[in-house]
Structures are given as structure tokens and as C-alpha cells.
Amino acid sequence: MIVGIDLGTTNSLIAYYSEEGPKIIPNRLGKNLTPSVVSVDEEGNVYVGETARERMSLYPDSVAQTFKRSMGTERDYILSGKHFKPEELSSLVLRALKEDAEAFLGEEVTEAVISVPAYFDDKRRKATKRAGELAGLKVERMISEPTAAAVAYGLYDKTQDTRFLVFDLGGGTFDVSILELYHNILEVRAVAGDNYLGGEDFTEVMAKLFLQKQKIQLQSLSEKEQVRLYRQAEKAKREISDKAQVTMSFLQGEEQIEAQITYKEYEEACEELLQKIREPVKKSLADAGLKLNDIDEVLLIGGATRLSLVRDFLIRLFRKFPDTKMNPDETVALGAAVQAAMKERREEVKEVILTDVCSFTLGTEVSVEYEEGLFETGRFCPIIERNTVIPASHTERLYTAHDNQKKVRVRVLQGESRFARNNLYLGELEIDVPKGPKGQESVDVTYTYDINSLLEVEVTVVSTGLKQKMIIKGEENQMTDEEIKKRMEELAYLKIQPRDYEENRLVLTRAERLYEEALGDRRKKLDHYITAFETALKKGDHNEIADARKALNEVLEEDEDW
């Protein structure tokens, strides 16, 4: 069984293709969204999703979130004294999704199509693939999130040619993609975005606005208080979409602090973020050679597009109402499931050719002669430019820069800067050339880039025909099969909580958090119901446990409107 996975910054989802079409698979708690949060306790127990998020308030040193933003980097997360890379934390989320899918489908899940932001570079895509492998999944295909959304909307099944812009604002990343449909070909024309912009930033603005009104310094708050603050800011951010103002409250020490925040105040505070949204839109249109009025449809995906603040801004920007008929949280996962069905050659799925583009320019380092006899080194020479439709193959002829030069070194780089040092290094190769005066010998450098983000580099010496070839897989950060197997064994000691235990653990963790935030009679009431639930758990009677859990949940709902 091949499934489709949306591995998100804030939430992750898994889907499959059924007889009725693509469907989201509910997690062990019966919900479609699994928060991309991981917690590890001192005994090596792993909590993924809602329970891990609840533990943030109680044990902040044991919890990690928004690690998708660090994919492809060497950032080190320490949870209860144990070290994890971003892709290893992502693999724990994927493993939980895989287990949920196997329990729901009643069969083993061995392969997945995983979505990635269109603006993810080579390192981030490779890290995502490694996360899947560490979770025990074969990941032969990754699909960009906007393309997956377009597939989910069924745009590939339209009867007329359409140009559309996919606006994808998730929890931590932002993509703009322009796609064009003609016949059965869905072609990405241009992509742009920001890997460090998302709904989390709008939450942070709300938190800062609250602190500013109360004249509180963030550094003066404990870790637990900061977690509580951001939780309340997230709640206020959602509520203000439907109101002219909200009351945000926050427990600092033993004092409950409140502040009124109006929609206008929040909108003004978010102005800088809204301007950051505008630039990638302009860039993608320019790269595609289009104007706003050339776009037939605008599609919104990503949970942050639910904010009325964002939607109002987009209506003004695009001068039209975006298409919002699908759940923005689920669209990408559903599209990935359709792509998985295409990969399985399912008869009920109409085959469609999906073309993608190279998100960043690929090139090499060269020396440039700016005056006769004077060279500037370290310049970037583009070979495959950004937003080139892939698969693509381009050749650039380069010449020796020094007399009696014996070798030519080709450094493979990815990025947009004129200077090589500012771009991402992917690898390099060297080739021998005959000695002679500078500029006499030349090499043809050919880059071939495919849909799975594999780059083949071939260098040919023009005078001798000597060739050197390599496949760039991000070797400096690429795990071998043996290394992956070894790390999977190392991570095996981590025990993801059993499905039948998760619901009880979540209720207790949530109750403990609210108890810490409560005062007086409210705290006494919570203590009574928590104790009753813990007593039922010790007895082990399923009916008694269910009744006590229901009673505790009702008290928690009184305390907190979810």
C-alpha cells in the first residue's frame, strides 16, 4: 500500500486512495490532524501529536516542535538528555502516522509519497526522504505541496486550459506557485516562497502585542509561562478572525493578566508579515512572465489561510475571491494520496503528466575577467536557472583561467547570489586538462536535473573527450543504507505510546496542565476528578475508566474552550 503524507510544520496528515476517492486516515485519537510535536521522557517513551503538545506546558525541556523549519540543517535538539536531528524527529511523526494507517487499513504500509514545500532546496528534500527511510518507509516520490493541492482540487480533470496561483501559507513555511493546465499536463510555471514564514509568526505577533500592552519583557517569563503565553496567543489569533476584538488572558505566577486586543491593532502589528507575503507573489508572477489578471483561479491551502486577516489581504491583493471549497489543512495530503494512486497505476485515477520546476538556480563557481589580465574569483555561473521546467539538461562551456592549468574543478552550487560563497554547496569533481595558455583548453559542464531532485553532473574536456560524471545526492549529509539501518536500530529503543493508551495519557496530561494554570476552587475541583480517573486506571476496569474519563473531560471542557 502506498499512502500520501503531508509532513507539516504544525500538523501532519496521512491519506490513502479508496473506492470513493482520496480519504484522510484518522489517527489513534480519531482526529485527522496530528500535531507535528514530539516529546521524549526520561524512560525513552515517545509522545507524538496532541499528548506531546500538552507536555510542552509541563515539561518544556522534553518537547520539540516546528522542527520542519530546520530540516536539512545540523541543528541538534536535546529532549530529556537525548540528541535528535530534525529529520529524526520528523521520522518519529512519520512512524506514528504509519502505525495509525496500518491499524486503520489492516495491512502493512511500505511506501509513501511525501509532500514538501515547493521552495525546499536540495538539502531539505533529501532530509525529508531520510526521515521517511528512518520511519521504515520507501520514499521514491516527493511532490511539491502546491502541485499536490492542485491535484486534490481536481484541476487536472478540468475540460479547459486554466492558469492558477496556489497560495500555500502553513504553520511555518510559505509557498506561491503558478501552475498551468493544458490537456492532461499540469505544469508548474514558477515557484517562490519563504521557508521561515507561516502561521506561527502571526501567533508570535499576537504574543508580542499582549506583552507590549502589559509592559512585560518576554525574558522575565519562565519557560512554562512562555509556553502558556503562546498557547493563549494562538487561541486569540483564531478568535479575532470572527470578532472586532478579543480578550487575551494569561497566568503569570499567581496573577491572571488580561488585555483587550482589537482587530485593527492586530492588523497593524501584522503589516510587516503581510508585506513579506507580497514579495514572493510578485516574484513568481515575474518569473512566469504573467500579470495578476492572467490568473484564472487562486487556491488557498495551509491552515494559516483561515485567518480573516490573511484572506482580507489576499482579496485586496488579487482583486478576486480565492477558491476555498476544500479544507486547507487537508488538501495537500489528499493530493499526495492521488499521486500515490497514480504511482500504483490505479485504473480509477486519470493519468496526468505532472511537471515541476527547479526551485533554485543550479550553477558552478567561476573566475570572471573584468579587465584585461585581471580576474575576480568566486563568482557564480548559472547553468540551470530557477523555475526551469524539469527534467532539464543544460550545458555551459568553461575555459581555463591560468597558464599551464592542469585541472578544472567544478563546484556544484545552488542559489541565487552572484557570489559562490553565498550559495548552497552540493558537491564537486575535478578533471585533468592538457597544459597550455589560459583560455586554450575548455570543458563542457552539463547539468541534468530530474523530478526526484537528483542532479547528474558531467564534465567533458573538449580537446581530449575525457569525461567525468557524478550524481549529486547531497553526499556531505547523505546517509548510506547501512547508516540508516544503524540509526533505525538506535531509535528502536524509543517506544511510541500504544494506541489504546494514548487517549488516557492525553486526558491526564491536559488535566495536569490545566491544574497548574488553575487557582483556588477551580484547582480543587480538577484535583478531585483527576484523582478519580487515576483510581479507575489503577483498577483496570474498562467501563469504569471510560466513565471517569468522560467525567474528567467534561470538567476540562468547562475550563477550556477548544
Side-chain angles (χ1 to χ4, degrees):
M1 166 67 75
I2 305 178
V3 294
I5 296 176
D6 175 9
L7 183 62
T9 307
T10 305
N11 295 295
S12 294
L13 304 90
I14 187 166
Y16 76 112
Y17 201 88
S18 70
E19 293 179 358
E20 294 82 32
K23 301 282 186 185
I24 301 293
I25 297 172
N27 62 22
R28 59 200 66 193
L29 297 171
K31 298 182 179 181
N32 289 355
L33 301 182
T34 297
S36 300
V37 186
V38 173
S39 178
V40 180
D41 67 18
E42 296 292 341
E43 287 75 42
N45 294 304
V46 176
Y47 306 87
V48 174
E50 278 195 65
T51 309
R53 189 171 61 186
E54 287 291 351
R55 284 175 58 84
M56 175 71 79
S57 297
L58 301 169
Y59 317 103
D61 290 339
S62 76
V63 182
Q65 59 183 349
T66 65
F67 37 81
K68 179 177 175 179
R69 283 182 162 181
S70 301
M71 289 288 272
T73 71
E74 292 301 309
R75 180 172 174 182
D76 188 39
Y77 290 82
I78 304 175
L79 308 183
S80 297
K82 302 169 182 67
H83 294 257
F84 299 91
K85 289 187 172 70
E87 58 262 39
E88 292 172 343
L89 293 170
S90 293
S91 77
L92 296 173
V93 175
L94 290 171
R95 196 202 298 181
L97 293 174
K98 180 178 184 288
E99 289 180 3
D100 289 339
E102 288 173 340
F104 180 83
L105 298 170
E107 61 180 281
E108 187 179 6
V109 172
T110 57
E111 191 172 343
V113 172
I114 300 180
S115 67
V116 291
Y119 216 55
F120 255 24
D121 62 20
D122 190 73
K123 278 188 177 181
R124 288 180 168 90
R125 289 171 185 261
K126 294 299 187 299
T128 303
K129 185 175 182 181
R130 282 197 301 278
E133 291 166 345
L134 288 169
L137 290 166
K138 184 180 179 184
V139 186
E140 285 189 350
R141 181 76 163 94
M142 283 181 284
I143 185 171
S144 72
E145 290 169 2
T147 305
V151 170
Y153 266 84
L155 292 177
Y156 67 91
D157 208 19
K158 280 183 175 286
T159 56
Q160 60 186 26
D161 295 350
T162 309
R163 280 198 197 110
F164 49 98
L165 183 148
V166 179
F167 183 95
D168 179 3
L169 187 63
T173 59
F174 170 48
D175 280 331
V176 177
S177 296
I178 295 173
L179 297 92
E180 187 164 3
L181 173 77
Y182 53 98
H183 303 300
N184 69 328
I185 299 174
L186 187 60
E187 179 180 317
V188 180
R189 292 283 303 276
V191 298
D194 189 334
N195 289 323
Y196 298 96
L197 176 63
E200 301 287 340
D201 299 287
F202 287 86
T203 303
E204 188 173 348
V205 168
M206 181 66 78
K208 286 181 177 178
L209 194 56
F210 177 85
L211 293 175
Q212 183 182 335
K213 278 178 167 279
Q214 294 297 328
K215 295 181 173 55
I216 298 172
Q217 295 295 318
L218 182 64
Q219 296 80 0
S220 68
L221 303 179
S222 68
E223 276 193 273
K224 284 188 178 183
E225 287 173 335
Q226 288 183 32
V227 171
R228 290 176 195 160
L229 172 70
Y230 281 100
R231 183 184 291 273
Q232 292 304 314
E234 173 70 22
K235 186 178 177 183
K237 178 189 78 175
R238 296 182 183 189
E239 288 179 354
I240 206 167
S241 285
D242 304 315
K243 299 176 181 177
Q245 69 175 28
V246 292
T247 301
M248 181 174 161
S249 62
F250 162 64
L251 183 67
Q252 183 181 18
E254 298 292 308
E255 183 182 0
Q256 195 77 26
I257 302 169
E258 290 189 352
Q260 301 285 333
I261 297 172
T262 67
Y263 185 92
K264 190 173 187 304
E265 287 173 332
Y266 183 55
E267 185 178 37
E268 289 174 355
C270 290
E271 184 60 33
E272 186 177 338
L273 291 179
L274 296 175
Q275 290 309 312
K276 287 178 73 175
I277 284 173
R278 187 188 295 271
E279 288 308 311
V281 173
K282 289 169 61 179
K283 182 179 177 183
S284 62
L285 287 167
D287 285 356
L290 299 172
K291 297 179 180 177
L292 269 176
N293 56 13
D294 294 323
I295 301 298
D296 300 310
E297 295 186 35
V298 176
L299 312 181
L300 300 188
I301 61 173
T305 61
R306 292 180 185 277
L307 299 174
S308 59
L309 177 82
V310 173
R311 291 200 177 182
D312 291 345
F313 174 76
L314 295 180
I315 291 168
R316 294 195 302 271
L317 180 64
F318 297 129
R319 304 186 197 101
K320 65 175 67 177
F321 287 93
D323 190 327
T324 58
K325 67 175 178 284
M326 290 189 71
N327 184 330
D329 288 314
E330 300 178 358
T331 309
V332 170
L334 294 172
V338 175
Q339 177 63 34
M342 290 180 189
K343 196 173 186 303
E344 287 182 310
R345 302 288 185 185
R346 296 279 291 268
E347 290 182 5
E348 60 268 46
V349 180
K350 177 182 174 182
E351 194 66 35
V352 59
I353 299 169
L354 300 176
T355 76
D356 210 336
V357 294
C358 187
S359 304
F360 294 86
T361 297
L362 294 161
T364 189
E365 182 176 353
V366 295
S367 296
V368 177
E369 187 172 18
Y370 60 94
E371 284 185 26
E372 189 173 351
L374 296 176
F375 288 82
E376 182 183 1
T377 60
R379 292 287 291 275
F380 181 60
C381 172
I383 296 178
I384 296 179
E385 292 200 295
R386 74 169 186 268
N387 288 323
T388 298
V389 175
I390 55 176
S393 184
H394 288 185
T395 301
E396 189 77 22
R397 181 163 291 185
L398 305 176
Y399 296 86
T400 52
H402 308 286
D403 292 334
N404 298 317
Q405 189 171 329
K406 296 179 181 180
K407 294 179 181 293
V408 170
R409 182 179 64 167
V410 176
R411 299 183 75 238
V412 184
L413 305 170
Q414 183 180 54
E416 307 304 328
S417 175
R418 290 190 308 124
F419 300 103
R421 66 179 180 273
N422 296 333
N423 294 321
L424 177 66
Y425 171 84
L426 299 179
E428 64 182 62
L429 56 77
E430 279 189 345
I431 193 166
D432 294 329
V433 295
K435 290 194 293 185
K438 68 179 180 182
Q440 177 176 295
E441 292 296 327
S442 60
V443 295
D444 283 341
V445 180
T446 302
Y447 282 14
T448 303
Y449 195 63
D450 77 359
I451 199 93
N452 292 313
S453 302
L454 288 179
L455 173 63
E456 179 187 85
V457 178
E458 182 179 86
V459 181
T460 305
V461 180
V462 175
S463 64
T464 66
L466 179 67
K467 293 180 186 289
Q468 286 270 32
K469 186 185 291 188
M470 70 184 297
I471 303 292
I472 299 291
K473 297 181 181 178
E475 274 80 0
E476 78 287 350
N477 196 23
Q478 178 73 16
M479 297 172 74
T480 64
D481 291 342
E482 291 74 21
E483 288 170 335
I484 289 171
K485 183 179 179 182
K486 182 180 177 182
R487 188 54 178 157
M488 286 174 70
E489 290 171 354
E490 290 171 353
L491 294 176
Y493 77 92
L494 297 170
K495 303 176 285 294
I496 292 179
Q497 295 303 290
R499 293 174 58 83
D500 56 356
Y501 178 71
E502 183 76 12
E503 188 175 7
N504 294 334
R505 186 69 260 172
L506 172 61
V507 172
L508 272 179
T509 308
R510 185 181 172 197
E512 287 173 23
R513 171 177 66 81
L514 289 172
Y515 176 85
E516 285 201 3
E517 295 177 8
L519 297 170
D521 291 341
R522 181 178 161 210
R523 175 172 278 188
K524 290 177 182 176
K525 185 176 181 181
L526 281 169
D527 179 57
H528 170 76
Y529 281 91
I530 292 170
T531 302
F533 183 45
E534 288 176 331
T535 302
L537 287 172
K538 288 173 185 174
K539 290 181 180 178
D541 183 277
H542 292 297
N543 291 329
E544 191 173 339
I545 290 171
D547 290 341
R549 184 175 60 234
K550 182 181 178 183
L552 178 55
N553 262 324
E554 287 174 356
V555 174
L556 299 181
E557 291 299 335
E558 290 173 10
D559 243 35
E560 183 175 53
D561 181 17
W562 282 82

